[in-house]
Amino acid sequence: MSELTAGGPGAAFTFGRADSAPRVRRTPAETRRLLQLALAAVWLLDGLLQLQPFMFTKAFATQIIDPTAPGNPSAVAHSITWAAGIIGHHPVGTNAAFAAIQLLLGLGIACRPTVRAALAASVGWSLAVWWFGEGLGGVLTGGASPLSGAPGGVILYALLAVLLWPTDREGPFPAARPVGVAAARGLWLLLWGSLVFFTLESGNTGSQDMNAMIAGMADGQPDWLGAIIKHSASLVAHRGLAASIGLAAVLALVAVAVFLPPRLWRALIALALVLSAVIWVVGEAVGGVFGGQGTDPNSGPLLALIALAYWPATHPTTEPKAVAQSATGDLERTTS
């Protein structure tokens, strides 16, 4: 019996011999919706973290917001100090508002009727937090590093909102559907290429720079996580330049992934997922969520979601309706 392919809403099923199990091929639209739900979950986590007791004290402004100002251009630094002053004088009200906004963004993205409005709002909120809360991710200070969250975890929320925007446009991978293949590839190259740049900045390539950066994240963490971080720091002790060059080389490979044939593309996207996990655990201490002062999970999970949005589909432009029509034709030929 010839192979028969049947399509239905959201998935394509491929049947071979009678003893073969059906294989489900997820469409780019389905993958996009799953990634939207994952992004919604991260926003909800952010909102819950914002409800920690520490966030309702003046220390949130003095210990979380204020320290992002030094090293930035004066206009940026002064605006951060201004925002920290407002938060410090009204910690309960401002923090309650921050938590409510993030919870509403998560719920809005999770709900289909409001997904567009929530994604659009998340772009504006992300840009505001990136400026006033993260000091532009430290990218203008000369000390930004992928291991510490550069280019700033919250700006990746805005990028994901663009790449996961609901649209009927076809594309070979989910991120290409809203903006087109060329633009999506350009955004990928810009993101991962910037991580190469930050890795090789002069402030990150000293003999002990990477060791100090990683080891400093162990403070206040659970014993198991602190042990992982300290062991990782010891591996790069007095090898800062070599480790930075090695990390930059791997990041550069990932940066060109979307320009390569599908098999290499998938392999390097898988490598990007591994890198995201290493950055998240070793460099970011899983966003500091166990210390009571983490406001978000940092860039690691967001990098992973972006990588999944670029996973190439097996048959990227085959929509369920077209698959169903093909299956009908195959069936007619088989039975005629």
Side-chain angles (χ1 to χ4, degrees):
M1 180 179 178
S2 64
E3 182 178 83
L4 173 63
T5 306
F13 299 88
T14 303
F15 299 93
R17 295 186 301 273
D19 58 346
S20 298
R23 292 183 291 116
V24 179
R25 181 182 303 131
R26 201 173 296 281
T27 66
E30 265 195 319
T31 302
R32 178 184 63 200
R33 184 55 185 157
L34 290 175
L35 293 174
Q36 288 174 353
L37 293 174
L39 177 59
V42 179
W43 273 119
L44 291 172
L45 174 60
D46 288 0
L48 294 175
L49 291 173
Q50 206 68 45
L51 293 174
Q52 297 175 103
F54 172 83
M55 307 301 175
F56 289 91
T57 68
K58 187 176 181 179
F60 172 57
T62 59
Q63 298 180 28
I64 303 296
I65 307 298
D66 256 341
T68 66
N72 275 299
S74 59
V76 177
H78 290 159
S79 64
I80 294 170
T81 302
W82 168 78
I86 294 176
I87 296 169
H89 282 93
H90 308 281
V92 176
T94 53
N95 190 68
F98 297 160
I101 290 171
Q102 291 170 156
L103 290 172
L104 287 173
L105 288 175
L107 293 173
I109 294 171
C111 185
R112 284 187 184 274
T114 56
V115 63
R116 282 183 171 86
L119 287 173
S122 73
V123 173
W125 180 250
S126 297
L127 292 173
V129 175
W130 187 54
W131 183 295
F132 296 105
E134 289 191 344
L136 302 180
V139 299
L140 302 180
T141 65
S145 168
L147 291 175
S148 60
V154 73
I155 194 63
L156 301 182
Y157 290 81
L159 177 58
L160 274 166
V162 173
L163 297 178
L164 300 180
W165 188 265
T167 178
D168 294 330
R169 180 189 298 183
E170 297 180 358
F173 50 93
R177 293 169 66 90
V179 298
V181 174
R185 284 174 169 164
L187 289 170
W188 175 270
L189 181 62
L190 177 63
L191 171 60
W192 292 91
S194 72
L195 298 186
V196 175
F197 172 79
F198 296 134
T199 300
L200 296 177
E201 277 195 304
S202 58
N204 298 326
T205 55
S207 175
Q208 285 290 82
D209 286 344
M210 188 176 292
N211 170 270
M213 187 184 307
I214 295 173
M217 295 304 299
D219 296 338
Q221 303 304 322
D223 291 343
W224 64 270
L225 182 56
I228 293 174
I229 295 172
K230 289 176 181 177
H231 177 69
S232 301
S234 68
L235 294 177
V236 297
H238 305 290
R239 302 183 181 92
L241 179 58
S244 293
I245 292 174
L247 176 59
V250 176
L251 289 168
L253 282 175
V254 172
V256 300
V258 294
F259 301 96
L260 300 177
R263 182 172 296 181
L264 287 174
W265 182 339
R266 291 187 182 92
L268 291 176
I269 294 295
L271 177 59
L273 293 172
V274 173
L275 273 176
S276 300
V278 171
I279 288 171
W280 191 46
V281 174
V282 172
E284 300 173 351
V286 297
V289 298
F290 294 113
Q293 299 182 15
T295 58
D296 59 72
N298 215 325
S299 68
L302 283 305
L303 288 173
L305 289 181
I306 291 170
L308 291 172
Y310 280 82
W311 191 270
T314 306
H315 296 287
T317 59
T318 302
E319 297 297 323
K321 182 178 179 181
V323 175
Q325 291 173 344
S326 175
T328 302
D330 288 344
L331 181 60
E332 291 174 349
R333 287 192 294 272
T334 302
T335 56
S336 61

